[in-house]
Every structure is written in C-alpha cells, then in structure tokens.
Amino acid sequence: MAVVISVANQKGGVGKTTLTMNLGHALASKGKRVLLVDIDPQFNLTFGLIGMEVLNYENSNVGTLMTRESEINDAIVEISDDLHLLPSHLNLSVKEIEIINAYNRERRLEKALTPVLPDYDYVLIDNPPSMGIFLVNSLTASDYVLIPLELSYFGVIGMQLMFNLMRMIREETNENLKLLGLVPNKFTRQTKVPKTRLRELKEAYPDAPILTTIPKAIALEKAQGKGMSIFEFENDGRAAKAFMKLAGEVVKIVEG
Amino acid sequence: MSRDKLPKLFDGSVNELTRPSRSKAGEGSRSSLKSKKKQKTLYITLDMNRKLIELYGEEGRRQSIIVEDAVNLYYYLKKALGEKKFNELLSAVGREDPEFLAEYVSKLRV
Ligand SMILES: Nc1ncnc2c1ncn2[C@@H]1O[C@H](COP(=O)(O)OP(=O)(O)OP(=O)(O)O)[C@@H](O)[C@H]1O
Ligand SMILES: [Mg+2]
C-alpha cells in the first residue's frame, strides 16, 4: 500500500518540481515502486518527464480523473518500470471551476488514487504554488507533507504559511496528515543569508524536522531544462548525492 | 517591520504536526487510518478561490516574486540611503516619469 507524500509550498519556485522528480527517481533506484502525480496546471513535472507527449493526455490526466471523465489506468504513463506518472495537462486550470462546484470537491484526488495505491510504495504529488482546490485535494489525499524551502526571508515566511495550512487541513479534511520534513533547497555559502536563516529557523522551531539540505547546483537547472533527472545528468555530483541521501532519510522515516 | 529577526507566524508546535492529530488511531493499519479520515468539507467560496488563485496561482507566481522584490528593494534601499534620501527617491518615483527618474538616480549620492 503506497504512502502518499505531498511536496508542497505556497511559495513559487522553491524547488517543488525538482524535488518531486529527483526524489521519485532516487526512490525508484532503491527498488521502490513510485507514482508521481502532477497536480499543477503549469504541468512542469509532466513536461519535464514526457515533453510534448503531454498533448496525448488531453482526455486522461489528473484533471479528467478529478472530474470523473476518465479512468486512472488510462492516465498513467510509464516512465520506467518503477517510475510512473499521472500527468497534468493544459486544461487543468479550466477544470478548476468544475471541481470547485462539484460534490465532495476536496476528496476528488483521494478517490481517484485509491484503486492504484496497492500497486505502489510511494506516491509523490507535485503541487502548484497556490492555496486553491488542487492543493487542498492533494493534502487531503496525503499521509505526509514534504516542504522544500529557500533559506531566505520570504522562504521562511512561506514555510510558516504551510504550517498554518497543514493545521487547517488536519482540522478539516485529513486528521492524519503529518509533516515529513523540511528540505532546505538551493543552499549556498556564497552569501551568509542561508546559514543565518537556517539558524533562525531552528531557533523559532527547535522541533522542526530538517532533512538533507540540497545545494544550489547549476547541474539541477540544466538537468531540468533537458527534462532529465540529476541522476541521468550528473550521477556523481553533489546534488545527486544529496537526493540519494534524502531518499534514504524519507524511507527511514516512513518505513521505520 | 524589522528585518533583523524573522517574524514567527505559526504559534503551534511543529512537533505536533509530525504526528497524526488526535491520534488514538495510532495503532492499527494505515488503511484503517485512511478510512477514518473525517468527511468534513472545507468551505472555500468560488470568489475566495478566485482571489487565492489570483494572488498565488497563475499570475501569482510572478506577482508574489514582484511583491517580494519590491519589499526587499524598499527595505534595503531605505537602509542604504537613509530616511531623507529615500523619501526623495520615492517622490521621484511618484512622478511616474522614467526619464526624470533616470536623471535623478544618476545624480544620487549615498
Ligand atoms: N538546488 C537547486 N539548485 C539550482 N537550481 C535549482 C535548485 N532547485 C531548483 N532549481 C531551479 O529553480 C527553478 C524553480 O524550481 P522548481 O520548478 O523545482 O520550483 P517549483 O517550486 O516547482 O516552482 P513552481 O512554484 O513555479 O511550481 C528551476 O529553474 C529549477 O531548475
Ligand atoms: Mg513546480
């Protein structure tokens, strides 16, 4: 039975898609069966993984699943044996209005995923940077939240907004939602800002589960530009090592 | 707004967030946990959702970056220039005249 993890942060550009993609590859390389779910109308993850092929999924994607116009097995794309994708599509933003007016609108994703959960060990959901119906569906369907964040002033503020949102979701739609951890991303020693913010974060929240820090690495940007995981692009670099370490940590926390 | 210290916006315990809430259900399988998820509905009005999307979604990706850049500019320029020069700069910006502003900035001395 899969464990469902939302990769979420209301702040844009903090590395949600990068984290989902590379953690997914890392888990798959550890022999885990992984389903990646792209619930972002800007479909960066989908485009990164299947490129223009996204056009073939107009009638079977995460949105048509949530409006119950299609079946989940038609929508799943096999990237490799152990890594599958439930794609997003350009038409997802149009579905938003339809879903928000629908019955049981917060549980559309949860209901859609249920039949395939036994087929996977991990389901990772890449979320949009917005507190709308898609993020609510994702958090409602999840066991855990993984928060990538930038160690900047607004980065730490965005993280706190996520804490508040998590509390709201736990009170309203999913009492079992748990914080898996914080993943400081784009870490650099070129300025003292990240280190300072990290210290402040630890002071403000001594209990915060801070997981592996991902370094700022040009290789990650280049890999993403080519639609490749960091492992395909630069397997022996710092970033690849950090993601493998993170995957190990995630497995340890989730599987005990 | 002091930028020397981060404002704390979450008054709960993070430790608490890492565990299921009100969990006496801690024992038992995950699937049984799942079935116990509450069936409540989160109330977001259509209008509210639109506003949230406008603020954070589609446009928002850029918008929030603009707001962050603006706050950083405001805060650090004010520190660097001092109150008086900064207020002068603001009134120069207020003329909404890029040529005038370029001229003004080129003469600006810290
Ligand atoms: N550790 C890193 N080092 C260097 N560049 C990074 C790193 N992590 C992410 N990036 C780059 O930062 C940009 C934003 O990352 P990404 O798309 O993963 O963020 P996101 O949170 O998914 O954004 P959005 O909120 O728009 O969906 C991308 O260009 C990505 O390649
Ligand atoms: Mg993204």
Side-chain angles (χ1 to χ4, degrees):
Chain A
M1 194 70 162
V3 167
V4 183
I5 302 174
S6 272
V7 178
N9 191 328
Q10 283 145 285
K11 183 161 157 50
V14 296
K16 293 179 286 294
T17 303
T18 307
L19 175 58
T20 309
M21 166 127 158
N22 291 299
L23 182 60
H25 273 91
L27 288 168
S29 78
K30 286 182 179 291
K32 307 293 180 189
R33 297 163 301 162
V34 180
L35 174 66
L36 303 180
V37 177
D38 188 358
I39 197 164
D40 184 349
Q42 284 198 8
F43 63 96
N44 292 344
L45 179 67
T46 300
F47 196 76
L49 287 166
I50 65 174
M52 293 305 280
E53 232 191 282
V54 60
L55 297 174
N56 301 335
Y57 292 88
E58 181 176 356
N59 300 314
S60 48
N61 56 62
V62 75
T64 57
L65 268 182
M66 289 171 76
T67 54
R68 300 180 180 157
E69 294 164 275
S70 64
E71 293 295 320
I72 185 148
N73 288 309
D74 300 330
I76 289 179
V77 191
E78 299 196 3
I79 307 298
S80 67
D81 282 351
D82 286 332
L83 188 68
H84 295 177
L85 169 71
L86 177 55
S88 174
H89 191 273
L90 306 76
N91 63 20
L92 185 57
S93 51
V94 181
K95 300 282 176 204
E96 179 145 32
I97 295 295
E98 204 173 316
I99 295 163
I100 199 140
N101 285 313
Y103 159 77
N104 226 355
R105 61 193 167 186
E106 294 86 4
R107 294 183 186 278
R108 292 288 169 129
L109 183 66
E110 182 186 21
K111 290 255 152 45
L113 289 177
T114 302
V116 298
L117 290 184
D119 303 339
Y120 299 97
D121 300 309
Y122 288 89
V123 175
L124 304 181
I125 311 174
D126 182 21
N127 287 283
S130 54
M131 156 62 206
I133 197 68
F134 293 127
L135 182 55
V136 170
N137 261 270
S138 174
L139 296 176
T140 302
S142 294
D143 301 296
Y144 288 102
V145 181
L146 196 56
I147 307 180
L149 75 148
E150 282 174 10
L151 293 166
S152 64
Y153 183 80
F154 286 107
V156 178
I157 288 190
M159 173 201 80
Q160 300 184 76
L161 295 179
M162 266 316 292
F163 288 170
N164 283 310
L165 178 60
M166 273 191 73
R167 178 160 61 189
M168 181 167 111
I169 294 286
R170 280 157 63 99
E171 280 165 8
E172 302 293 340
T173 65
N174 180 5
E175 63 186 354
N176 295 308
L177 185 68
K178 297 175 288 295
L179 177 62
L180 180 56
L182 310 174
V183 181
N185 188 24
K186 304 191 187 181
F187 190 85
T188 168
R189 291 185 197 282
Q190 278 168 357
T191 79
K192 60 180 167 49
V193 175
K195 209 170 148 232
T196 310
R197 295 299 176 218
L198 186 59
R199 198 189 59 232
E200 286 169 348
L201 195 166
K202 286 177 180 166
E203 278 166 16
Y205 302 103
D207 298 334
I210 300 172
L211 307 183
T212 308
T213 296
I214 310 293
K216 183 171 183 140
I218 304 289
L220 275 170
E221 263 173 83
K222 288 189 177 160
Q224 183 143 335
K226 294 191 172 183
M228 289 164 117
S229 75
I230 191 67
F231 306 103
E232 295 161 300
F233 187 82
E234 192 185 86
N235 195 27
D236 54 356
R238 285 179 311 144
K241 285 187 183 132
F243 276 111
M244 279 312 288
K245 183 163 170 237
L246 178 65
E249 264 181 321
V250 167
V251 169
K252 208 165 150 211
I253 297 170
V254 168
E255 301 179 22
Chain B
M1 171 177 67
S2 162
R3 286 289 290 273
D4 299 324
K5 256 224 138 99
L6 281 163
K8 196 167 173 190
L9 301 178
F10 178 71
D11 58 6
S13 130
V14 174
N15 203 13
E16 185 73 13
L17 284 183
T18 58
R19 292 191 284 254
S21 55
R22 289 179 288 269
S23 181
K24 305 114 224 154
E27 310 84 36
S29 72
R30 277 196 46 252
S31 56
S32 82
L33 283 183
K34 279 224 142 138
S35 63
K36 282 181 190 160
K37 276 182 191 172
K38 279 199 288 183
Q39 292 293 319
K40 263 211 213 162
T41 296
L42 240 182
Y43 190 71
I44 305 173
T45 61
L46 197 57
D47 189 43
M48 181 58 133
N49 195 55
R50 269 279 134 232
K51 278 188 188 143
L52 287 165
I53 293 164
E54 271 169 32
L55 194 59
Y56 297 111
E58 292 140 0
E59 282 308 301
R61 280 175 214 247
R62 264 166 285 141
Q63 208 167 34
S64 76
I65 289 169
I66 291 174
V67 171
E68 290 175 17
D69 286 349
V71 174
N72 280 331
L73 259 178
Y74 189 100
Y75 185 77
Y76 289 107
L77 266 182
K78 193 167 176 176
K79 272 205 152 169
L81 295 179
E83 194 94 20
K84 187 162 167 283
K85 283 238 158 94
F86 182 72
N87 286 335
E88 272 174 35
L89 175 64
L90 276 189
S91 32
V93 170
R95 289 180 176 230
E96 302 184 12
D97 178 351
E99 272 169 37
F100 177 87
L101 187 59
E103 176 79 19
Y104 179 85
V105 169
S106 74
K107 288 183 190 151
L108 192 65
R109 288 264 174 278
V110 180

